[in-house]
Amino acid sequence: MTAIEGVEAWEVLDSRGDPTVRVRVETADGTGTFTVPAGASTGAHEAVERRDGGDRYGGRGVRGAVAAVREELAPVVTGRRVTDQRGIDEALVDRDGTDDLSRLGANAVLGVSGAVAHAAAAATDRPLYESLAPASGPGAIPLPMVNILSGGLHAAADLPIQDVLVVPVGAATYPEALETAWEVRHATGARLGTDDHPPPVADEGGFVPPVADATAAFDLVVEGIRDAGYVPGDEVAIAVDVAATHFHDSDADRYALGGETVDREAMIDRVSGWVEAYPVRSIEDPLAEDDWRGWERLAGRVGDRVQLLGDDLLATNADRLDRAVDADAANAVLIKPNQAGTITRTRRVLERARAAGLAPVVSARSGETCDATIADLAVALDAGQLKVGSLARSERLAKYNRLLGIDRAYDGDFAAAAALAPRR
Ligand code: PGA
Ligand code: ZN
């Protein structure tokens, strides 16, 4: 048995330059390090990250979370068997004592949980995608969903929807999928900037388009797909993260969609219209995080044709996932470890989703570092899809490049278009 001998934590800066928590777990047979990501368009039902407040870093410091790791969580895990991820995660959650991990902070708890996973891989001399895998072994290399245009809370843009992405559904291998996405990204960029001045990029590396209307953004990407020599829909499909929670006015119960405000029914019509008119294969958060009625109605209308992906709706939370399964409100779930708060909770939601027939999509946050843990996690748990931003900014490329390394080292399949919901 390899026991945990020490836990260290400190503050580092993420891709927005904001503080975040880095944790290192030490054993006699190896150490593991993990750095916690952070969202901007966070949902109300996520595990709660802890920020210091006050003047330092505009209130965004994480010294409190770092102190919680050192003073409260390190004693809980020190001496435990490093490969007992589930037992360790339960002990971390117990120590916090709240369901949403708000006492110590989900950033403290996940920091330790993630570093334990890496330390267990090091101690057993295996790559992380193997040590996190079930007994049957790791799964396929995931199909990437690559960000092309950004709006919403991720960009100083007029565009209310957050991401327009491409899914290289015609690619036969992971490297081919990346190359295809690169070509479409460049072709779209060429329509937005000049060769001397590439267009500015947003938090996840997507271009910030000079359009305020979702359909104008889809037109741009469809043109980019054609310019790159691909057939829209058959070879390269569009995915959208509407992130509708962030333009839903809950008092008026209306959606503020680019200069107009629309009610639920009009929003459902609008989104259904996108599915009719554009090669859209995946739509994330088309309605607000508590608009269960709207989600059910939309799923009834287009759920047999398009992937309806719950991010803020489901918040990588098992109870919310169960509700969505019962109500038939979504057919896919975004999996973000820091919404869940531990590696074990993340794994549980992913496995439960798959058992219920929902497609899991492992996702980064808009605030990231070059930590590539989620690339390993997606392969280990056979998620099938990965969403980590655009082909720009090193915190994004760290994940794409990690998958290129895994693809070389491991003779696994490529998930390809079959990973998308609904299954066809
Ligand atoms: P976030 O964005 O990390 O800012 O929440 C990612 C997403 O909405 O999928
Ligand atoms: Zn989202």
Side-chain angles (χ1 to χ4, degrees):
M1 160 180 145
T2 303
I4 292 173
E5 293 182 349
V7 179
E8 282 184 64
W10 64 101
E11 195 179 60
V12 297
L13 302 184
D14 71 12
S15 56
R16 276 191 278 257
D18 286 344
T20 192
V21 178
R22 177 167 289 173
V23 178
R24 184 163 67 216
V25 165
E26 289 175 10
T27 76
D29 298 320
T31 67
T33 304
F34 175 76
T35 310
V36 179
S41 67
T42 48
H45 307 289
E46 303 190 11
V48 176
E49 70 173 14
R50 177 165 169 188
R51 299 275 173 190
D52 297 336
D55 292 337
R56 218 178 137 258
Y57 282 113
R60 299 191 58 73
V62 291
R63 281 184 175 164
V66 163
V69 174
R70 288 196 190 126
E71 290 158 22
E72 298 222 34
L73 299 176
V76 168
V77 301
T78 303
R80 280 180 175 266
R81 187 160 53 88
V82 70
T83 49
D84 179 20
Q85 183 83 47
R86 199 174 55 189
I88 289 171
D89 285 347
E90 272 166 19
L92 293 171
V93 169
D94 281 354
R95 182 60 179 242
D96 178 86
T98 66
D99 199 41
D100 60 8
L101 307 178
S102 53
R103 189 177 78 82
L104 299 177
N107 43 352
V109 173
L110 181 68
V112 177
S113 179
V116 166
H118 279 277
T124 55
D125 214 11
R126 289 180 300 176
L128 187 63
Y129 67 86
E130 261 180 45
S131 74
L132 282 176
S136 53
I141 307 288
L143 175 68
M145 196 181 262
V146 180
N147 189 311
I148 304 294
L149 301 178
S150 293
L153 298 183
H154 289 178
D158 296 330
L159 187 64
I161 63 171
Q162 185 177 287
D163 320 319
V164 183
L165 312 95
V166 291
V167 189
V169 289
T173 66
Y174 172 71
E176 194 183 314
L178 270 195
E179 196 174 327
T180 302
W182 185 96
E183 289 170 339
V184 174
R185 181 174 191 274
H186 271 252
T188 310
R191 285 182 170 267
L192 292 173
T194 65
D195 286 346
D196 307 343
H197 299 287
V201 299
D203 277 359
E204 297 197 11
F207 297 131
V208 183
V211 298
D213 190 54
T215 56
F218 301 156
D219 284 331
L220 264 170
V221 174
V222 167
E223 285 158 7
I225 293 169
R226 287 211 183 94
D227 288 352
Y230 293 99
V231 179
D234 289 347
E235 292 178 315
V236 180
I238 289 182
V240 190
D241 183 358
V242 182
T245 301
H246 302 284
F247 56 82
H248 178 249
D249 176 344
S250 45
D251 294 333
D253 195 16
R254 289 177 81 85
Y255 291 88
L257 193 56
E260 48 175 339
T261 64
V262 300
D263 65 12
R264 170 179 302 108
E265 287 311 313
M267 191 67 199
I268 291 170
D269 286 344
R270 196 69 58 96
V271 172
S272 305
W274 298 343
V275 177
E276 299 288 338
Y278 291 92
V280 171
R281 277 296 305 276
S282 177
I283 305 186
E284 180 177 335
D285 286 354
L287 294 156
E289 62 195 349
D290 290 310
D291 191 353
W292 288 96
R293 205 152 38 108
W295 276 86
E296 278 173 54
R297 291 174 62 85
L298 182 66
R301 250 166 90 169
V302 296
D304 58 345
R305 270 181 293 158
V306 72
Q307 175 165 276
L308 289 177
L309 176 55
D311 173 12
D312 291 347
L313 178 78
L314 304 177
T316 321
N317 178 294
D319 293 339
R320 294 185 70 86
L321 175 74
D322 288 348
R323 180 167 175 187
V325 170
D326 286 346
D328 226 349
N331 58 25
V333 53
L334 209 71
I335 302 285
K336 290 169 164 172
N338 80 325
Q339 286 181 331
T342 67
I343 296 292
T344 302
R345 280 185 176 180
T346 307
R347 168 195 290 274
R348 203 166 285 154
V349 172
L350 194 155
E351 287 171 350
R352 202 137 141 182
R354 219 191 359 242
L358 275 76
V361 181
V362 170
S363 172
R365 300 308 305 246
S366 51
E368 277 286 337
T369 64
C370 288
D371 187 295
T373 304
I374 55 171
D376 286 74
L377 187 76
V379 175
L381 302 183
D382 200 19
Q385 298 177 70
L386 186 76
K387 179 191 179 218
V388 298
S390 199
L391 298 179
R393 305 184 52 135
S394 294
E395 81 278 5
R396 311 288 144 196
L397 276 310
K399 283 74 164 170
Y400 290 119
N401 289 341
R402 172 64 183 153
L403 284 182
L404 285 170
I406 297 175
D407 189 51
R408 269 169 58 82
Y410 160 59
D411 187 26
D413 294 332
F414 174 53
L420 286 155
R423 310 278 186 211
R424 302 179 182 188

